[in-house]
């Protein structure tokens, strides 16, 4: 079974892009980026088809009602157990597992269990983060804790974490134990990242540094994308330094994604994001562009600090967004995203000397950082 | 390093006890049970000395502040990080790992990682259960969520679950992968047990059956004691059917423990339990003796049902305890506990044909079901 395909990889043949520009600043395939977006979309569609049977087999191992809660969360069933379609996640992390396995010379199909384990781990963190952050909506549906209660959401998350590890620990693949250990280590980093995020939100804005925000974003977002790539490489039988380089690729691409996500959280089109304009500012979120602005030492930064200290005037949101921009927060975030993508590509070139093989990974990295989908 | 010792094992030589009577109905060593209690206490003390270095090495891998939260929860530190002693748990589960390894012909010291993994798993469930059940006290100290908040308690629990698996997945022991898979499967069962417990508490008392309460107790309490014994056997290189029999031993002993714990929850001496008399009745807990009484079809059962439906008269607690007794709930629970211990001993005799080797496991099983300590 071919999971990642070869369509579109020829366009990178013989020429490594120095960096993949973020958010509509042009793409490898040309100004409109259509070719790359299509490649990633196709790859993700094939990923979903390849990973879903493995995921369904795994989730079927859960006793009820934990299975039912998991199937609701995963977008497979309505609250009453009726099957639904088209409400699942994008499967970016399993896509990275498959693409990384292919890039390092393996058969993507052989990494299906690793792909499922990474997706289950991602969903365990979503279940717990939604409880902790009191988020009401996930993938356009009510979150599990709002439907089933906190206890069921925590316990279903716990069970998904265990299920992910069980998939790998029961696998006969020679890299399975190393993959399980790596995934468990990643979970610890994810927990530390979410803990840091909560702690940062409770601290006065003036005391938060950019460095700790970047470290938090790397742990919370970069670690699992890096782990997905590393597991794909492990399952392809890659050497330890290739595995580390693949982890570095996913980790840096994940940071680029977070930076762009934070830009969208302020300036994103409400019609596309499904959130009101300036949502992160309204929530007083200490996102990366905001902290960059707050720590800029500029008059606009001081203006933003005053807004974060308590203005409730609705019109103030627009002025706050403008202040982030004038303080350089937006430019900084976009430049950082481009820099992180350059680092990601550098790591990728270490792990995969043949650019022909790297097409799928690059397409996915662009897909998550462009976010026009 | 000898962990489980040999003291006291000669008294079982050549003679399998048919069942180990529960709670002061006499013991293998004679009416006062002093010898056995001492054997178990010595074994647990040696267990703590053997497992704590492994636990501390593991917990040192956690990033801060997750490490600090874990060290507080484990009774190693005060809230401010000052070292404290004598506030840790009894280490019954690691004791079972070591004793099971020895009973099946292995070196207990070789199973230290498995013992630590089981103890970390137990502590992960305590952290989450305390959040879910809103319990304020654990081992005579404020629970983690009351000190650090819900988010930190959930995340520290998540990290301990991952750490437990990482210990096994990184271990070079030939049984490590099977042990990791088994532990992960056990975690899923623990989650289902806790979920069932919460769900039972929200249902009308008249609709709860004894069968589902026993199934819940097996999943919530028996599963991890069984897993501890199974992991000890796996690390000793035992055959699959021995491993299953050891799991059965721990599982049945765990059920016996839960039955006795439920009896103590009603009739336990407040000076020893640290809880007010009839604490489980005050909390309207659907414990096993209570459900046995409620489903007895007796006049006393109906009297108890009326109390569970809403009496708030303080004197009513004593009358409710008396009603459980008259309805046969106390006798049933004690007979069930003895029956479960008989089943446990039967499983043990399957796994360990030489009774000389089984002394440590029997001493631990008696220790947890006698509970005079």
């Amino acid at each position: 079974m071919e999971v990642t395909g070869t369509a579109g990889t020829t366009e990178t043949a013989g020429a490594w892009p120095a960096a993949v520009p973020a958010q509509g600043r042009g793409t490898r395939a040309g100004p409109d980026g259509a070719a790359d977006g299509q490649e990633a979309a196709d790859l993700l569609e094939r990923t979903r088809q390849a990973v879903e049977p493995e995921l369904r087999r795994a989730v079927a191992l859960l006793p009820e009602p934990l299975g039912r809660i998991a199937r609701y969360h995963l977008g497979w069933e309505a609250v009453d157990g009726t099957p639904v379609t088209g409400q699942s996640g994008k499967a970016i992390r399993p896509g990275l597992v498959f693409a990384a396995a292919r890039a390092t010379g393996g058969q993507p199909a052989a990494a299906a269990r690793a792909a499922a384990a990474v997706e289950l781990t991602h969903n365990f963190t979503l279940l717990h983060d939604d409880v902790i952050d009191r988020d009401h909506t996930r993938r356009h549906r009510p979150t599990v804790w709002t439907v089933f209660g906190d206890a069921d959401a925590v316990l279903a998350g716990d069970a998904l974490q265990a299920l992910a590890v069980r998939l790998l620990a029961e696998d006969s693949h020679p890299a399975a134990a190393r993959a399980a250990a790596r995934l468990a280590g990643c979970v610890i980093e994810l927990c530390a990242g979410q803990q840091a995020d909560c702690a940062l939100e409770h601290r006065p804005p003036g005391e938060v540094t950019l460095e700790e925000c970047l470290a938090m974003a790397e742990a919370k977002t970069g670690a699992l994308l890096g782990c997905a790539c590393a597991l794909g490489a492990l399952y392809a039988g890659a050497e330890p330094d290739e595995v580390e380089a693949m982890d570095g690729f996913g980790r840096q691409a994940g940071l680029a994604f977070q930076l762009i996500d934070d830009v969208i959280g302020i300036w994103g089109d409400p019609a596309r994001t499904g959130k009101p304009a300036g949502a992160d500012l309204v929530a007083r979120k200490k996102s990366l562009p905001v902290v960059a602005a707050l720590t800029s030492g500029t008059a606009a930064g001081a203006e933003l600090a005053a807004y974060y200290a308590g203005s409730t005037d609705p019109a103030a949101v627009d002025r706050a967004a403008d202040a982030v921009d004038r303080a350089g927060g937006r430019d900084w975030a976009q430049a950082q995203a481009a820099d992180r993508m350059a680092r990601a590509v550098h790591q990728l070139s270490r792990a995969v000397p043949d650019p022909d093989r790297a097409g799928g990974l690059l397409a996915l990295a662009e897909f998550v950082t462009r976010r026009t989908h």
Side-chain angles (χ1 to χ4, degrees), chain A:
Chain A
M1 182 184 57
E2 178 59 67
V3 175
T4 56
T6 54
T9 53
T10 50
E11 60 199 29
T12 58
W16 274 96
V20 181
Q23 212 196 15
R25 290 185 169 190
T27 73
R28 281 191 302 129
D32 68 355
D36 287 309
Q38 195 54 49
E39 181 185 353
D42 291 349
L43 197 155
L44 289 173
E45 181 52 36
R46 287 194 299 276
T47 294
R48 279 189 291 271
Q49 286 171 16
V51 81
E52 195 173 308
E54 196 72 49
L55 279 174
R56 287 194 182 262
R57 263 194 299 277
V59 170
L61 298 171
L62 293 178
E64 297 303 336
L66 295 177
R68 191 163 69 89
I69 299 164
R71 293 191 300 274
Y72 170 79
H73 170 76
L74 290 163
W76 300 346
E77 289 183 3
V79 176
D80 65 3
T82 319
V84 293
T85 53
Q87 306 198 313
S88 301
K90 293 192 198 72
I92 289 183
R93 290 157 193 82
L96 288 172
V97 175
F98 287 135
R102 184 179 169 279
T104 48
Q107 288 299 320
R113 280 203 163 193
V118 167
E119 186 66 2
L120 290 171
T121 301
H122 176 53
N123 281 284
F124 133 65
T125 65
L126 296 181
L127 279 164
H128 285 195
D129 289 359
D130 285 343
V131 171
I132 290 168
D133 300 336
R134 297 281 119 191
D135 279 331
H136 285 75
T137 306
R138 164 78 57 196
R139 296 170 191 152
H140 308 288
R141 310 166 79 213
T143 47
V144 164
W145 72 268
T146 65
V147 176
F148 297 92
D150 285 5
D152 281 2
V154 169
L155 293 167
D158 291 342
L160 288 190
Q161 188 196 152
L163 192 58
V165 162
R166 190 176 153 181
L167 274 193
L168 296 180
E170 285 181 349
D171 196 2
S172 58
H173 192 288
R178 271 172 295 153
R182 192 161 193 117
L183 185 62
C186 175
V187 166
I188 293 170
E189 196 174 351
L190 294 170
C191 294
Q194 169 70 2
Q195 200 284 334
D197 196 11
C198 296
L200 285 173
E201 289 304 318
H202 287 99
R203 278 167 48 196
E207 292 177 13
V208 174
T209 69
L210 251 186
E211 198 177 21
E212 57 190 349
C213 285
L214 280 167
M216 179 275 285
E218 181 175 338
K220 189 173 165 171
T221 308
L224 188 54
L225 270 61
C227 185
C229 296
L231 261 55
L234 275 173
Y235 265 69
E239 295 297 319
D241 57 343
E242 290 173 301
V243 174
E244 293 314 319
M246 289 301 278
D247 189 293
F249 164 76
R251 197 173 274 269
Q252 296 298 332
L255 258 177
F257 159 74
Q258 191 58 58
L259 285 151
I260 296 305
D261 199 52
D262 282 359
V263 168
I264 292 170
I266 300 175
W267 294 280
D269 178 359
R272 276 183 164 159
T273 64
K275 294 178 182 176
D280 283 359
L281 294 175
V282 175
R284 302 292 194 281
K285 209 163 168 276
K286 298 186 190 82
S287 66
L288 289 159
V290 164
V291 176
L294 289 171
T295 55
S296 64
T298 61
E303 208 177 300
L304 183 67
Y307 169 81
Y308 265 66
S311 168
T312 52
D313 173 9
V317 178
D318 288 344
R319 289 201 298 274
D322 190 52
V324 179
D325 208 345
R326 282 183 285 118
R330 186 179 194 163
D331 283 348
W332 173 85
Q334 288 178 326
Q336 268 286 319
D339 177 55
R340 297 295 175 166
M341 277 306 294
R343 295 193 206 184
V345 170
H346 174 69
Q347 294 282 344
L348 184 57
S349 68
R350 278 180 54 209
V352 189
D354 175 5
D356 268 358
R357 290 192 169 276
L361 284 171
L362 285 171
L364 284 175
E366 288 186 30
F367 179 85
V368 297
T369 51
R370 215 157 357 99
R371 293 288 298 278
T372 53
H373 308 273

